[in-house]
Amino acid sequence: MRVFDGRQLLPPATVALDDDRIGFDASDAKLVVDGAGAALLPGLIDAHLHLDGRSALQRLVRFGVTTALDMANAPPEFIDSMRGIRGLTDIRSAGTAALAPGCVHSQIPEIGERGLIRNAGEAERFVTERCAEGSNYLKVLIDLPGPSPDRATVDALVATAHRLGRHVVAHALSYEAAEMAQAAGVDALTHTPLDRPLDRIMADRMAAVGQALIPTLVMMESLTGPSTPPQMRAEWAMPGASFDSARASVVAAHRAGVPILAGTDTNTDAEAPGDFTFGDSLHYELELLVDAGLSTVDALRAATVLPAEHFGLTDRGVVEPGRRADLVLVDGDPLHDIRAVRSISRVWCSGIEHTPAHLARRS
């Protein structure tokens, strides 16, 4: 079988598994899987979603997503209930996101009330609480042109999080919000401006300091699509919102060398836009990224090695001895056609094999 190791497509090779790790020697293997005509990939990573429980993890495995980066959830006990389940998708979470009173996200149960931050003086308390609850990184909701933490508050949140060893991801649907987040020194922007695209100046600034972009094109397309009710569109976006702006932002960022990470914003909130499901939405995100100008190799990197590197997950994202045995075997050649990633025949999640029969039961 051919192996895409997270960086490039390698010649046909044999990959050994040693319990939950990729092994060094396959000579004494007890079970051999014939991967002739197939391609082996690192387990996929969805860099932006909102989990709704164990059932989401089961479905993610069905689609080869072995790591999920949850971008806001509460309470901490709910998040902890999904951590460390052997054989199911491994998660990281922002926990409760920071948001301004009166913004649309403040209406979300649990997250809204817990996440309110009114001024820069509350940043130390807010970030310290999130760290104590086990948040792996901080999420800041910059809802401009609507209610949003002001620049001083965003600056204080970012500085405090960095001092305490946490990355910061900023929700930004407008150019103004992206500009504020970029200037504050966040580590990643999630979503893309819908009112006007990122321009070359901002993209170059992001690339220069290593800021990543998680476009969530699948959500941006849904949010601006004709099937989204006007009231919902007005609540979650802004006048003149356009998918063309989102796509153009990806084009500009990619050309500038900004790391593009594949995320979907998949959630099951009945009040939020979007009608897509865990797992298959990431496959569609890869197709949208290729449509926006990424090569198939770049798209695969966006869902494997790049989010692993950017979020400090040093044990995954590549096929290499000693790494977690998170692997996906697909029929066909995803470097020729990214849609081949949908043709999954086997998944290994921390060394636990999910065969076609197991995968069918998770669909």
Side-chain angles (χ1 to χ4, degrees):
M1 64 186 172
R2 304 293 299 275
V3 177
F4 176 76
D5 68 350
R7 302 181 181 92
Q8 60 185 333
L9 186 67
L10 302 176
T14 298
V15 175
L17 301 189
D18 185 3
D19 193 24
D20 64 345
R21 298 286 152 174
I22 298 173
F24 291 83
D25 183 9
S27 60
D28 60 349
K30 297 183 176 67
L31 175 67
V32 176
V33 175
D34 184 0
L40 188 70
L41 315 175
L44 303 178
I45 301 172
D46 190 328
H48 184 146
L49 42 60
H50 301 274
L51 297 163
D52 66 353
R54 186 178 180 125
S55 62
L57 307 184
Q58 293 171 333
R59 183 169 176 85
L60 287 166
V61 170
R62 160 72 178 85
F63 289 91
V65 182
T66 57
T67 301
L69 304 183
D70 184 82
M71 281 297 163
N73 236 316
E77 295 78 14
F78 173 68
I79 300 167
D80 290 343
S81 73
M82 296 180 285
R83 292 189 188 272
I85 303 175
R86 181 78 189 276
L88 292 184
T89 300
D90 190 40
I91 77 162
R92 299 293 185 274
S93 181
T96 301
L99 48 86
C103 74
V104 64
H105 292 87
S106 66
Q107 302 169 23
I108 300 175
E110 289 286 356
I111 294 175
E113 183 177 350
R114 295 170 57 86
L116 296 181
I117 182 165
R118 296 167 180 81
N119 54 61
E122 295 182 349
E124 181 82 22
R125 183 267 311 163
F126 185 90
V127 178
T128 301
E129 287 180 355
R130 301 292 78 76
C131 291
E133 291 171 351
S135 293
N136 302 103
Y137 37 85
L138 187 70
K139 171 86 172 290
V140 181
L141 292 160
I142 304 178
D143 271 338
L144 293 170
S148 176
D150 61 23
R151 172 65 190 276
T153 302
V154 175
D155 287 351
L157 287 166
V158 173
T160 305
H162 285 171
R163 178 168 54 81
L164 295 176
R166 298 296 193 277
H167 274 34
V168 182
V169 178
H171 160 106
L173 283 175
S174 70
Y175 186 93
E176 184 182 8
E179 195 171 41
M180 178 189 286
Q182 196 278 326
V186 304
D187 299 284
L189 298 180
T190 190
H191 308 312
T192 42
L194 293 174
D195 52 349
R196 54 179 282 210
L198 295 175
D199 52 33
R200 180 174 178 177
I201 293 175
M202 188 182 295
D204 285 345
R205 287 174 180 166
M206 291 177 64
V209 296
Q211 287 173 327
L213 178 65
I214 311 171
T216 67
L217 288 178
V218 63
M219 176 59 83
M220 302 298 94
E221 183 183 62
S222 178
L223 180 58
T224 58
S227 63
T228 300
Q231 183 178 357
M232 181 180 289
R233 183 169 176 171
E235 183 177 24
W236 288 94
M238 72 285 295
S242 166
F243 180 70
D244 290 341
S245 293
R247 186 181 183 279
S249 291
V250 175
V251 172
H254 182 56
R255 286 177 176 170
V258 174
I260 305 295
L261 315 184
T264 63
D265 200 14
T266 304
N267 64 86
T268 53
D269 183 355
E271 301 301 321
D275 184 21
F276 37 89
T277 53
F278 294 105
D280 55 342
S281 57
L282 184 62
H283 293 196
Y284 186 45
E285 182 73 15
L286 296 181
E287 294 164 19
L288 289 174
L289 290 175
V290 170
D291 181 66
L294 273 67
S295 69
T296 53
V297 169
D298 288 333
L300 291 174
R301 285 170 53 82
T304 55
V305 64
L306 290 181
E309 289 179 348
H310 198 79
F311 282 87
L313 306 177
T314 57
D315 62 345
R316 68 198 71 188
V318 297
V319 180
E320 187 176 275
R323 304 294 183 109
R324 268 178 63 104
D326 289 346
L327 300 164
V328 182
L329 188 67
V330 302
D331 296 324
D333 181 3
L335 272 71
H336 175 70
D337 184 349
I338 196 65
R339 292 172 296 181
V341 179
R342 293 181 178 272
S343 301
I344 295 174
S345 62
R346 277 181 168 82
V347 176
W348 289 267
C349 195
S350 190
I352 302 296
E353 183 182 21
H354 298 267
T355 63
H358 292 148
L359 295 173
R361 288 199 293 269
R362 302 210 187 282
S363 61

